[in-house]
Amino acid sequence: MAAEIDGPRLPPRSRRPARQLVVFLHGYGADGNDLIGLAPVLGPLMPDVVFHAPNAPQPCEGNPFGYQWFPVSRLDPTLALAGARSAAPDIDAFLDEKMAEHGLDESRTCLVGFSQGTMMALHVGLRRARPLAGIVGFSGMLAGPEILKDEIRSRPPILLAHGDSDEMLPHVLSERAAEVLRQNGVEVAVHIAQGVGHGINDSALSHAARFLLQAFKLPLPK
């Protein structure tokens, strides 16, 4: 049974019915408010997008004020894969619910994750029967790279962005993820932000905005 999850949202800036959907997946110990703050920055570039940022289903073990998609254990790869698998049904159900609510399908839906949220975005997005328009992963990694070839069902375009000074998840994890994804026929772009730690800077956000516009087939700013 999938847990019901919800969180903050920002309606389309145009005030028209949504024509595209972006779902943000926050990192360990954060909540939906952590990433919905990106929506006012992206919204003017894509005025018909509705943004949703659900809170993960579990209270965070390491931060009583935040949430987790699954418990963290020193990047243990086996536990990371098990955790991603356990939380995937909640995100799949949320995507299905919001697409139905707004009358949209996968071709008009993108996932954007940060850290643990990136792990979830990659895990879920590559296993849906129909490809999403795109996936953006900030400061994350790929859970279970060795079994992806046996479980991949769709190949949406992906952007991975990571700070080269990330002290929590080294940027090499995004580079390794990109290598595995390309081996499995996925189109991947990588942006390594110079002098950036475990966070999102202006250059990474600019790359993400351009990627989302292209994924949704919207005009790029002049």
Side-chain angles (χ1 to χ4, degrees), residues 104-142:
L104 303 172
D105 61 14
E106 284 87 349
S107 71
R108 293 174 178 263
T109 300
C110 282
L111 277 173
V112 177
F114 176 77
S115 194
Q116 192 180 77
T118 291
M119 296 168 65
M120 292 311 311
L122 293 174
H123 187 87
V124 168
L126 296 166
R127 289 165 174 80
R128 289 185 67 89
R130 298 182 63 188
L132 298 169
I135 299 172
V136 177
F138 294 106
S139 306
M141 59 179 277
L142 179 66

Side-chain angles (χ1 to χ4, degrees), residues 9-75:
R9 61 181 284 172
L10 191 73
R13 185 180 174 90
S14 67
R15 302 189 179 183
R16 296 187 289 261
R19 299 188 65 185
Q20 297 90 18
L21 165 66
V22 168
V23 174
F24 294 114
L25 302 178
H26 65 74
Y28 177 81
D31 60 24
N33 290 308
D34 190 51
L35 290 183
I36 201 67
L38 301 179
V41 180
L42 297 171
L45 298 171
M46 42 196 86
D48 293 323
V49 170
V50 59
F51 299 91
H52 285 271
N55 299 321
Q58 302 175 11
C60 181
E61 293 178 350
N63 176 11
F65 300 104
Y67 298 89
Q68 64 187 25
W69 298 103
F70 56 87
V72 166
S73 181
R74 298 184 183 178
L75 295 181

Side-chain angles (χ1 to χ4, degrees), residues 19 27 146 154 205 207 211 221:
R19 299 188 65 185
E146 71 283 351
S154 60
L205 187 56
H207 276 75
F211 174 88

